[in-house]
Amino acid sequence: MKKFSQAPESGKPRAGMGPAEEVLALDQELIRLLTKRSALLRKLRGGKLLASTPTASALEKRLRQGWESAAGGLSRNPRFIRELFDLLQELNLQAPAGECALAPFNLAPAKLPVEMDLPGPTLETSAQLWLALASSAGRNILLEGASRADGLQDSIRAFTWCGTRTEWRAGAEPWQETLEANGPASGLDMGQGAVLVGDDALTLYLLVFLGLGKPGRGRFVGGPRLKATDLTPLAHFIPKLGARLAWVVPGSKGLPATLECSGLLPEKLNVPGDLPQEALSALLLAALAWPAPCLLDLQDLTPETRRQALAPMRQIFDALGGGAPQERGTGLAYPGIASLPDLPARVTLEMDQRLCAFWLCLPLFTGGSVRLRGPWPQTPIAAEIRDLLGRLPLSLQEGGDYVSCTTAPAQGWPERLELEHLDPDLHPLFWALNARLAHKNKGAAIIRGLPEGMDSSLAEEFLAQSGFSLEQDKSDWRVCRLDIEAFKERAAKKHGWSSPSPGWALALSLAAFLRSNLKLHNPDCVRAVWPNYWQIYNQLPGQSPQTAASTSPAPIQPRPPARRRIIADAPR
């Protein structure tokens, strides 16, 4: 039988090749051309991945017109042609050195008992909401524990463009920073040019809803995710708020888009249930800064949707006290910005309990203990973590300003780890823990029922990269340890595994204690939500945070966009 698993080294079709080999060769040639196009595009943008200057906008328009003119006859679906162009514009491919592709990230932690005591990762969403409230109300605030996660960095850049002044300060202890935000006294100004919101949907929705309080016009540009996002639900909703959203690119449903506001807000507003989660949280925050009182009726939201939308607002509402919106029937009555009390001068951000859950399970793989410091609220997700860890030989202790976990051998291992319901963000942790159980059993871990909504195909892919297999026998599932040869055959060793989300990458970092030298292709997906994670991980079982902080490179501080300077009577 003819083999066609590999293309020729040149990447170009040759005479006598079969159809399969020719397709593989063309794929390699396409990758080479796309890499070259990506490098040329970065050069045209002045080394930037994204840009919102007039020159960059004109370049984008010219390239788009040329693409649609050349590719318009390839498909009867013009939207597909536009989306394909957007994907090409946002490709960030790095030219390989010689014939070597980008080296995968090798997970090889020290397999020793840990003794960790450090600040826990904080809620990025909470920091973004506090930043937006201070910016819109013209107040000053210090956010302790804020991290340079990608979403917050996008918010900082966008609000800085609109007049907010921000500054990073060293925190009270290593691995911790404080963000100072000073809102403009005259209010946010979105009309001085296109506002770059990056790829963060919450930043976009916050600026849209905050801009509704006064007449004006603004334009928003963003990254590939927001270009591909369907903003139709938002466009259908905001006319009820006296505004209009118009797309710049004909036929597009995402960014870039223009917002036109009349400043005339209704006294009562029914919130539709089809708005995305980020839009609901942004609306609940923005109504605090609207000039007049307003009643937001939430009767069209399901109980779960309402709970998720209100969860990020809980700390803010508690801090506002009597100035927070009051429940009235099925809605919330907002008093208007004139009744907004003084914001606290300093806010200690709550820990991100979903991220903390992975770190709290670390003693199960290494022994020892982990203590994370920061506000630990009693929330539904905290109860789920308590239930999950309570089934394992771990001792969990929760306090108002800390959470800790240590091994508890006397508690014993369960025969099976089964749950009817588990937050989707904790699904990767569920499979990492079952892999640990199979490793302990030196054979297999049996699961008689998966939590609702579990993606078994993704779990099978993750387990294969971790040195395990997932097998189904009628209604039962078995997590089995692979032998060395089977693991080498299934694992993506050359380029590493591309994790679909930060949670799966965190789960793989735990599985690396069970199987040495696992490979991860995209470690940046974790840095996007927990910037210091890999620095801490690589220094296990416990280099002091002081030493680690002193040896890590200083992150780049965000700066306001440069303004044009026009010099009259300059020498020629």
Side-chain angles (χ1 to χ4, degrees):
M1 179 180 295
K2 183 183 293 185
K3 296 183 179 180
F4 50 87
S5 59
Q6 293 183 351
E9 294 181 0
S10 65
K12 295 183 179 181
R14 295 197 305 259
M17 293 175 56
E21 292 94 332
E22 191 168 351
V23 170
L24 289 169
L26 287 172
D27 285 345
Q28 289 197 3
E29 182 68 8
L30 281 174
I31 292 172
R32 186 187 68 81
L33 292 173
L34 290 174
T35 303
K36 183 177 181 180
R37 185 186 190 277
S38 180
L40 288 172
L41 196 59
R42 282 196 300 272
K43 185 177 180 180
L44 289 173
R45 290 171 172 171
K48 298 179 180 179
L49 296 179
L50 296 171
S52 60
T53 62
T55 302
S57 299
L59 170 65
E60 179 95 6
K61 183 177 180 180
R62 179 184 173 189
L63 294 177
R64 182 183 294 275
Q65 289 174 343
W67 168 264
E68 292 181 352
S69 174
L74 300 179
S75 174
R76 295 183 179 180
N77 185 355
R79 182 175 180 182
F80 169 75
I81 295 297
R82 285 189 293 268
E83 291 176 348
L84 182 57
F85 174 79
D86 289 336
L87 291 174
L88 291 175
Q89 287 297 96
E90 305 309 329
L91 280 178
N92 183 25
L93 302 178
Q94 301 292 332
E99 296 184 357
C100 299
L102 292 174
F105 190 73
N106 188 41
L107 301 177
K111 300 177 182 180
L112 298 171
V114 296
E115 295 295 334
M116 301 297 295
D117 185 354
L118 71 163
T122 54
L123 273 171
E124 177 185 20
T125 300
S126 181
Q128 291 175 274
L129 295 174
W130 277 112
L131 170 64
L133 183 58
S135 299
S136 59
R139 310 290 175 84
N140 300 345
I141 197 169
L142 291 174
L143 301 178
E144 288 188 342
S147 69
R148 300 180 188 235
D150 284 2
L152 180 56
Q153 295 280 49
D154 284 341
S155 293
I156 290 173
R157 281 188 287 267
F159 282 99
T160 297
W161 179 265
C162 298
T164 301
R165 292 186 294 109
T166 58
E167 180 183 354
W168 287 100
R169 296 182 177 181
E173 53 188 322
W175 301 122
Q176 190 178 47
E177 288 186 285
T178 297
L179 176 65
E180 179 181 5
N182 301 322
S186 58
L188 295 173
D189 181 9
M190 304 179 195
Q192 58 177 316
V195 182
L196 178 63
V197 297
D199 246 338
D200 186 67
L202 180 59
T203 301
L204 170 65
Y205 292 125
L206 283 168
L207 288 170
V208 168
F209 288 126
L210 288 172
L212 301 177
K214 60 182 180 180
R217 188 175 185 271
R219 186 184 181 196
F220 304 101
V221 296
R225 189 176 304 151
L226 291 182
K227 286 183 178 180
T229 298
D230 188 355
L231 299 177
T232 301
L234 176 67
H236 289 168
F237 171 60
I238 61 173
K240 300 177 182 178
L241 296 161
R244 183 174 77 95
L245 188 71
W247 289 284
V248 174
V249 179
S252 169
K253 300 298 181 183
L255 294 186
T258 300
L259 177 69
E260 299 174 352
C261 311
S262 67
L264 302 176
L265 297 171
E267 295 181 358
K268 181 179 179 181
L269 179 68
N270 290 326
V271 180
D274 64 344
L275 285 178
Q277 177 65 49
E278 297 93 341
L280 292 172
S281 296
L283 177 63
L284 294 174
L285 184 283
L288 289 168
W290 288 348
C294 180
L295 175 65
L296 297 185
D297 195 336
L298 309 178
Q299 63 177 348
D300 292 338
L301 305 185
T302 64
E304 179 64 17
T305 301
R306 176 170 176 160
R307 182 186 69 81
Q308 292 181 357
L310 287 170
M313 297 298 304
R314 180 183 47 78
Q315 186 184 28
I316 294 178
F317 286 171
D318 290 346
L320 296 180
Q326 304 298 314
E327 291 193 14
R328 185 180 299 174
T330 58
L332 293 174
Y334 285 77
I337 195 171
S339 301
L340 186 70
D342 291 336
L343 301 184
R346 187 181 295 267
V347 172
T348 302
L349 297 173
E350 296 176 344
M351 286 191 281
D352 188 326
Q353 296 173 313
R354 291 172 174 84
L355 293 180
C356 289
F358 290 87
W359 208 241
L360 292 173
C361 289
L362 186 60
L364 195 67
F365 294 79
T366 63
S369 65
V370 168
R371 188 173 189 267
L372 301 176
R373 284 174 277 115
W376 182 263
Q378 295 303 317
T379 60
I381 190 64
E384 287 196 19
I385 294 172
R386 189 183 310 118
D387 180 35
L388 177 62
L389 271 59
R391 300 167 185 259
L392 300 163
L394 292 170
S395 175
L396 179 68
Q397 295 184 347
E398 303 172 68
D401 58 355
Y402 79 96
V403 61
S404 65
C405 201
T406 186
T407 52
Q411 188 169 323
W413 286 82
E415 292 185 10
R416 294 180 300 276
L417 182 60
E418 300 169 348
L419 294 166
E420 293 183 3
H421 175 75
L422 187 64
D423 187 280
D425 288 334
L426 298 180
H427 287 181
L429 180 60
F430 173 84
W431 290 109
L433 293 174
N434 270 287
R436 177 67 181 92
L437 183 57
H439 179 82
K440 179 261 175 187
N441 293 340
K442 299 181 179 180
I446 300 176
I447 309 170
R448 292 185 177 174
L450 300 181
E452 56 182 332
M454 186 76 76
D455 187 346
S456 59
S457 61
L458 185 54
E460 183 178 7
E461 180 185 344
F462 160 75
L463 290 170
Q465 304 303 315
S466 306
F468 297 84
S469 65
L470 181 62
E471 305 168 0
Q472 186 176 14
D473 181 16
K474 297 181 180 180
S475 60
D476 292 348
W477 297 81
R478 293 168 57 88
V479 177
C480 305
R481 184 175 175 85
L482 294 172
D483 59 40
I484 294 296
E485 294 303 320
F487 173 54
K488 289 181 178 179
E489 180 180 347
R490 297 192 186 187
K493 285 292 186 178
K494 183 177 181 181
H495 302 297
W497 184 51
S498 291
S499 174
S501 71
W504 289 105
L506 290 171
L508 191 71
S509 72
L510 293 178
F513 289 96
L514 310 178
R515 178 82 74 170
S516 300
N517 299 319
L518 300 185
K519 310 293 184 183
L520 181 63
H521 178 68
N522 55 336
D524 284 344
C525 70
V526 177
R527 292 192 187 100
V529 296
W530 191 349
N532 294 328
Y533 180 78
W534 294 120
Q535 290 174 311
I536 303 172
Y537 182 84
N538 287 335
Q539 290 155 4
L540 291 175
Q543 180 183 353
S544 68
Q546 290 85 353
T547 304
S550 64
T551 58
S552 61
I556 299 175
Q557 296 197 12
R559 299 188 177 205
R563 299 187 179 275
R564 296 180 61 193
R565 297 178 60 198
I566 301 176
I567 303 176
D569 300 327
R572 295 180 182 271

